Amino acid sequence: AEVSADAALVAAIVDSGVDMFAFDWDMTITSVHCYNSRVQPEDVPGRWTSDIPDAEDFASVLNAIQAAGRHWCIVTFGQKDVVQAYLQQLGFEEDHCLICSPLGPGERYSQAKAPPKDKNDMLVDVVRLKGLPALDRLVLFDDDGRNVMAAQGAGFRAVTVDPGRGMSAPLFLEYLQRG
């Protein structure tokens, strides 16, 4: 049954018409807001299994995207090195991960640096980097409806996800139907 579930996942990804699956991190993949909770990369090995609901299932979603010949990335307002630490625990090495963030390693927002109003600039960068033929070949999964509405307004596909539930294969397929 395991193989057929993976095969169904790959088929749904191929049929979706999407080339790039862009996932928000905090409260989309995780059940905690890692940035607001000040999670550091060195904290991740001791907490990742409780922070990512259905962690192995989420890893299988990312693997299915790759098996379908498509791409995935993380678009976050959080810290790339923290996200990378989680992805490494899931078995994804740094050179196989595209993580987009306005922050540098260890950097935090301040009066001098505010987070962007939406994720559209990061999404455009991903489209250019991967040479996608059209904006609607990318789908954003985000728990913040403002980011989703902005992305849709710019011509991307985007889906609002239930905050903190993670991204199990069944949830991913449900969201994909919405998008």
Side-chain angles (χ1 to χ4, degrees), residues 1 15 21 26 105 116 127 130 144 150 156 158 179:
D15 292 345
F21 296 82
D26 289 335
V127 166
K130 291 297 182 181
D144 187 333
F156 298 102

Side-chain angles (χ1 to χ4, degrees), residues 154-166:
F156 298 102
R157 291 168 65 174
V159 183
T160 306
V161 305
D162 301 332
R165 286 186 68 194

